[in-house]
Structures are given as structure tokens and as C-alpha cells.
Short mmCIF file of all heavy atoms in Angstrom, two decimals:
data_model
loop_
_atom_site.label_atom_id
_atom_site.label_comp_id
_atom_site.label_asym_id
_atom_site.label_seq_id
_atom_site.Cartn_x
_atom_site.Cartn_y
_atom_site.Cartn_z
N ASP A 1 1.29 2.49 -11.33
CA ASP A 1 1.98 1.39 -10.73
C ASP A 1 3.36 1.16 -11.44
O ASP A 1 3.45 1.31 -12.62
CB ASP A 1 1.13 0.10 -10.86
CG ASP A 1 -0.25 0.21 -10.29
OD1 ASP A 1 -0.34 0.30 -9.08
OD2 ASP A 1 -1.22 0.24 -11.07
N LEU A 2 4.34 0.81 -10.66
CA LEU A 2 5.67 0.49 -11.16
C LEU A 2 5.91 -0.99 -11.02
O LEU A 2 5.82 -1.53 -9.92
CB LEU A 2 6.73 1.31 -10.37
CG LEU A 2 6.57 2.82 -10.35
CD1 LEU A 2 7.74 3.47 -9.66
CD2 LEU A 2 6.43 3.38 -11.75
N LEU A 3 6.27 -1.65 -12.11
CA LEU A 3 6.47 -3.06 -12.15
C LEU A 3 7.91 -3.42 -12.28
O LEU A 3 8.61 -2.85 -13.09
CB LEU A 3 5.70 -3.75 -13.26
CG LEU A 3 4.18 -3.36 -13.37
CD1 LEU A 3 3.57 -4.08 -14.60
CD2 LEU A 3 3.49 -3.79 -12.13
N PHE A 4 8.37 -4.30 -11.44
CA PHE A 4 9.77 -4.79 -11.53
C PHE A 4 9.91 -6.15 -10.86
O PHE A 4 9.43 -6.37 -9.79
CB PHE A 4 10.76 -3.79 -10.92
CG PHE A 4 10.52 -3.53 -9.46
CD1 PHE A 4 11.23 -4.20 -8.48
CD2 PHE A 4 9.55 -2.62 -9.03
CE1 PHE A 4 11.07 -4.03 -7.14
CE2 PHE A 4 9.38 -2.39 -7.68
CZ PHE A 4 10.12 -3.11 -6.69
N GLU A 5 10.60 -7.04 -11.50
CA GLU A 5 11.02 -8.37 -10.94
C GLU A 5 9.83 -9.07 -10.25
O GLU A 5 10.02 -9.66 -9.19
CB GLU A 5 12.17 -8.13 -9.94
CG GLU A 5 13.39 -7.53 -10.58
CD GLU A 5 14.52 -7.19 -9.59
OE1 GLU A 5 14.91 -8.12 -8.86
OE2 GLU A 5 14.93 -6.07 -9.57
N GLY A 6 8.69 -9.02 -10.90
CA GLY A 6 7.53 -9.72 -10.30
C GLY A 6 6.82 -9.05 -9.21
O GLY A 6 5.91 -9.63 -8.56
N ARG A 7 7.21 -7.82 -8.93
CA ARG A 7 6.59 -7.03 -7.84
C ARG A 7 5.97 -5.78 -8.33
O ARG A 7 6.25 -5.32 -9.47
CB ARG A 7 7.66 -6.73 -6.80
CG ARG A 7 8.25 -7.88 -6.06
CD ARG A 7 7.23 -8.61 -5.22
NE ARG A 7 7.73 -9.78 -4.57
CZ ARG A 7 7.59 -11.00 -5.10
NH1 ARG A 7 6.96 -11.11 -6.26
NH2 ARG A 7 8.07 -12.06 -4.45
N VAL A 8 5.05 -5.23 -7.51
CA VAL A 8 4.33 -4.05 -7.87
C VAL A 8 4.55 -2.97 -6.83
O VAL A 8 4.32 -3.22 -5.61
CB VAL A 8 2.80 -4.28 -7.93
CG1 VAL A 8 2.03 -3.08 -8.36
CG2 VAL A 8 2.46 -5.49 -8.85
N MET A 9 5.09 -1.81 -7.23
CA MET A 9 5.12 -0.66 -6.35
C MET A 9 3.85 0.11 -6.70
O MET A 9 3.70 0.77 -7.70
CB MET A 9 6.32 0.20 -6.70
CG MET A 9 6.78 1.17 -5.61
SD MET A 9 8.38 1.96 -6.02
CE MET A 9 8.74 2.66 -4.43
N VAL A 10 2.89 -0.14 -5.81
CA VAL A 10 1.46 0.31 -6.10
C VAL A 10 1.38 1.80 -6.23
O VAL A 10 2.05 2.55 -5.51
CB VAL A 10 0.55 -0.23 -5.04
CG1 VAL A 10 -0.95 0.19 -5.30
CG2 VAL A 10 0.59 -1.74 -4.91
N GLU A 11 0.58 2.20 -7.24
CA GLU A 11 0.31 3.63 -7.39
C GLU A 11 0.04 4.30 -6.04
O GLU A 11 -0.72 3.79 -5.21
CB GLU A 11 -0.94 3.76 -8.26
CG GLU A 11 -1.39 5.20 -8.53
CD GLU A 11 -2.69 5.21 -9.27
OE1 GLU A 11 -3.06 4.27 -9.95
OE2 GLU A 11 -3.32 6.32 -9.27
N PRO A 12 0.71 5.46 -5.79
CA PRO A 12 0.57 6.11 -4.44
C PRO A 12 -0.79 6.31 -3.94
O PRO A 12 -1.08 5.99 -2.78
CB PRO A 12 1.35 7.47 -4.68
CG PRO A 12 2.31 7.19 -5.75
CD PRO A 12 1.66 6.21 -6.67
N MET A 13 -1.73 6.82 -4.77
CA MET A 13 -3.04 7.08 -4.29
C MET A 13 -3.79 5.77 -3.97
O MET A 13 -4.49 5.69 -2.92
CB MET A 13 -3.83 7.88 -5.31
CG MET A 13 -5.22 8.39 -4.90
SD MET A 13 -6.49 7.13 -5.23
CE MET A 13 -6.61 7.35 -7.04
N VAL A 14 -3.62 4.73 -4.79
CA VAL A 14 -4.31 3.44 -4.52
C VAL A 14 -3.76 2.89 -3.23
O VAL A 14 -4.45 2.39 -2.32
CB VAL A 14 -4.13 2.51 -5.69
CG1 VAL A 14 -4.59 1.10 -5.33
CG2 VAL A 14 -4.86 3.03 -6.90
N PHE A 15 -2.36 2.87 -3.08
CA PHE A 15 -1.76 2.34 -1.91
C PHE A 15 -2.22 3.07 -0.63
O PHE A 15 -2.60 2.45 0.34
CB PHE A 15 -0.27 2.53 -2.03
CG PHE A 15 0.56 2.20 -0.83
CD1 PHE A 15 0.65 0.93 -0.35
CD2 PHE A 15 1.24 3.20 -0.15
CE1 PHE A 15 1.40 0.58 0.81
CE2 PHE A 15 1.99 2.90 0.98
CZ PHE A 15 2.05 1.58 1.47
N ALA A 16 -2.31 4.36 -0.70
CA ALA A 16 -2.70 5.15 0.44
C ALA A 16 -4.16 4.94 0.83
O ALA A 16 -4.59 4.87 1.95
CB ALA A 16 -2.42 6.63 0.20
N ARG A 17 -5.05 4.92 -0.18
CA ARG A 17 -6.46 4.75 0.03
C ARG A 17 -6.76 3.33 0.59
O ARG A 17 -7.59 3.18 1.54
CB ARG A 17 -7.30 4.95 -1.22
CG ARG A 17 -7.47 6.42 -1.59
CD ARG A 17 -8.49 6.61 -2.72
NE ARG A 17 -9.78 6.18 -2.32
CZ ARG A 17 -10.79 6.01 -3.16
NH1 ARG A 17 -10.65 6.25 -4.48
NH2 ARG A 17 -12.01 5.64 -2.73
N LEU A 18 -6.05 2.35 0.15
CA LEU A 18 -6.16 1.02 0.64
C LEU A 18 -5.80 0.95 2.11
O LEU A 18 -6.50 0.40 2.95
CB LEU A 18 -5.37 0.01 -0.23
CG LEU A 18 -5.54 -1.48 0.13
CD1 LEU A 18 -6.92 -1.96 -0.11
CD2 LEU A 18 -4.51 -2.32 -0.66
N LEU A 19 -4.61 1.56 2.41
CA LEU A 19 -4.17 1.55 3.82
C LEU A 19 -5.10 2.31 4.70
O LEU A 19 -5.44 1.90 5.81
CB LEU A 19 -2.80 2.13 3.93
CG LEU A 19 -1.61 1.22 3.48
CD1 LEU A 19 -0.27 1.84 3.89
CD2 LEU A 19 -1.70 -0.18 4.06
N GLN A 20 -5.58 3.47 4.21
CA GLN A 20 -6.46 4.27 5.06
C GLN A 20 -7.76 3.49 5.34
O GLN A 20 -8.28 3.55 6.46
CB GLN A 20 -6.83 5.57 4.30
CG GLN A 20 -7.82 6.44 4.96
CD GLN A 20 -7.99 7.77 4.27
OE1 GLN A 20 -7.35 8.72 4.59
NE2 GLN A 20 -8.85 7.83 3.22
N SER A 21 -8.26 2.74 4.35
CA SER A 21 -9.47 1.96 4.57
C SER A 21 -9.23 0.83 5.59
O SER A 21 -10.20 0.40 6.29
CB SER A 21 -9.91 1.33 3.26
OG SER A 21 -10.21 2.38 2.30
N ALA A 22 -8.01 0.32 5.71
CA ALA A 22 -7.68 -0.70 6.68
C ALA A 22 -7.52 -0.14 8.11
O ALA A 22 -7.37 -0.88 9.07
CB ALA A 22 -6.47 -1.45 6.19
N GLU A 23 -7.44 1.20 8.19
CA GLU A 23 -7.33 1.90 9.50
C GLU A 23 -6.17 1.37 10.35
O GLU A 23 -6.32 0.87 11.42
CB GLU A 23 -8.64 1.75 10.28
CG GLU A 23 -9.85 2.29 9.56
CD GLU A 23 -11.14 2.12 10.36
OE1 GLU A 23 -11.08 1.45 11.44
OE2 GLU A 23 -12.21 2.66 9.92
N PRO A 24 -4.91 1.53 9.83
CA PRO A 24 -3.79 1.12 10.60
C PRO A 24 -3.64 2.00 11.86
O PRO A 24 -3.97 3.17 11.86
CB PRO A 24 -2.60 1.34 9.64
CG PRO A 24 -3.08 2.44 8.74
CD PRO A 24 -4.52 2.21 8.56
N GLY A 25 -3.15 1.34 12.91
CA GLY A 25 -2.97 2.06 14.20
C GLY A 25 -1.69 1.90 14.79
O GLY A 25 -0.88 0.95 14.41
N PRO A 26 -1.29 2.73 15.74
CA PRO A 26 0.13 2.68 16.30
C PRO A 26 0.40 1.40 17.10
O PRO A 26 1.63 1.11 17.43
CB PRO A 26 0.13 3.89 17.22
CG PRO A 26 -1.34 4.17 17.56
CD PRO A 26 -2.05 3.79 16.31
N ASP A 27 -0.58 0.60 17.43
CA ASP A 27 -0.41 -0.63 18.18
C ASP A 27 -0.41 -1.87 17.27
O ASP A 27 -0.31 -3.01 17.77
CB ASP A 27 -1.40 -0.80 19.32
CG ASP A 27 -1.32 0.29 20.31
OD1 ASP A 27 -0.16 0.77 20.60
OD2 ASP A 27 -2.35 0.75 20.86
N ASP A 28 -0.65 -1.62 15.95
CA ASP A 28 -0.82 -2.74 15.04
C ASP A 28 0.49 -3.55 14.78
O ASP A 28 1.55 -2.94 14.56
CB ASP A 28 -1.39 -2.33 13.71
CG ASP A 28 -2.87 -2.10 13.82
OD1 ASP A 28 -3.52 -2.61 14.74
OD2 ASP A 28 -3.44 -1.40 12.93
N TYR A 29 0.43 -4.87 14.72
CA TYR A 29 1.48 -5.72 14.32
C TYR A 29 1.10 -6.12 12.89
O TYR A 29 0.07 -6.78 12.64
CB TYR A 29 1.60 -6.90 15.28
CG TYR A 29 2.76 -7.81 15.03
CD1 TYR A 29 4.03 -7.29 14.62
CD2 TYR A 29 2.68 -9.17 15.12
CE1 TYR A 29 5.10 -8.13 14.47
CE2 TYR A 29 3.73 -10.06 14.93
CZ TYR A 29 4.93 -9.50 14.62
OH TYR A 29 6.05 -10.33 14.41
#
């Protein structure tokens, strides 16, 4: 994870696995 100015640039694998689990789709808002 990269930390800066109170924000987190989440570790790539964690970010990707979290998104994959949420099953984003092309029609999602």
C-alpha cells in the first residue's frame, strides 16, 4: 500500500481481488 496525504493507494493485488469479488460490470454506475 502507498500512503500519502491521508489516502491509500491500495496494494494492486488487494485492490484487484476486492474489485473482482464485487463483480463490476459494463452497465454499473
Side-chain angles (χ1 to χ4, degrees):
D1 302 292
L2 304 183
L3 306 179
F4 61 95
E5 299 174 56
R7 294 295 176 264
V8 183
M9 200 171 192
V10 180
E11 176 186 342
M13 188 271 288
V14 171
F15 172 68
R17 284 189 64 190
L18 184 64
L19 285 191
Q20 177 173 264
S21 299
E23 300 180 354
D27 297 325
D28 281 343
Y29 187 38

